Amino acid sequence: MELLDQETARAWLGTAVAEARAGLGEGGIPIGAALYGPDGALLGRGHNRRVQDGDPSTHAETAAFRAAGRQRSYRGTTMVTTLSPCWYCSGLVRQFGISRVVIGEAVTFHGGHDWLAEHGVRIVLLDDPECVGMMRDFIENNPALWNEDIGE
């Protein structure tokens, strides 16, 4: 798999950030994601909808994955997410062989991305200040909801 340049990674992250903002605007948890194909085409995008749908399994990564629809193979695809993926979403990446994960930040939550890297998934951690700020503000203003989301 070819290297991903910073300009492309940040542009793709912009799609996930827009989704996170949409989720926040709906009264949900501000985590967004997008799945890009090996050719760079946007396959699907989505945001965490646990609150809006009352469905604990609708994380941003699963929403983007579902929006992408059925693919013959996920090899060479890139999952872009505003926050380090939890174990549930990390499992999705491994189960379907998604090759790379671009992460906006892992400061407010350090999910399963080290485990993914240990199993051959290419990780691009951007340490994006906007992603950090959005999650810090949300966690500070909604600690109970955040703790529910991460299973605390």
Side-chain angles (χ1 to χ4, degrees):
M1 171 180 278
E2 63 189 55
L3 293 175
L4 183 66
D5 64 83
Q6 285 288 308
E7 184 178 338
T8 301
R10 291 204 176 272
W12 289 358
L13 180 62
T15 303
V17 168
E19 286 292 329
R21 285 191 199 122
L24 183 61
E26 296 169 356
I29 299 162
I31 304 170
L35 185 65
Y36 284 87
D39 62 355
L42 178 61
L43 300 175
R45 58 191 290 169
H47 52 272
N48 185 302
R49 295 193 51 86
R50 294 181 76 250
V51 174
Q52 299 92 312
D53 295 347
D55 179 352
S57 69
T58 311
H59 289 203
E61 297 87 346
T62 60
F65 183 75
R66 288 173 181 157
R70 183 178 171 196
Q71 305 292 314
R72 181 162 168 34
S73 172
Y74 294 90
R75 284 191 195 93
T77 62
T78 300
M79 179 65 76
V80 182
T81 180
T82 57
L83 185 64
S84 178
C86 69
W87 288 108
Y88 170 63
C89 295
S90 294
L92 177 132
V93 168
R94 286 273 292 132
Q95 173 71 29
F96 291 96
I98 294 171
S99 300
R100 178 171 42 212
V101 179
V102 173
I103 301 166
E105 67 103 346
V107 174
T108 61
F109 180 77
H110 192 105
H113 69 268
D114 291 334
W115 175 77
L116 288 171
E118 290 169 9
H119 289 88
V121 177
R122 188 167 293 175
I123 301 297
V124 178
L125 180 55
L126 296 176
D127 292 321
D128 183 78
E130 182 179 4
C131 291
V132 173
M134 188 167 26
M135 284 310 301
R136 277 193 175 142
D137 289 347
F138 180 80
I139 292 166
E140 182 179 322
N141 294 321
N142 303 279
L145 184 55
W146 172 243
N147 286 331
E148 175 189 323
D149 190 60
I150 60 172
E152 296 283 320

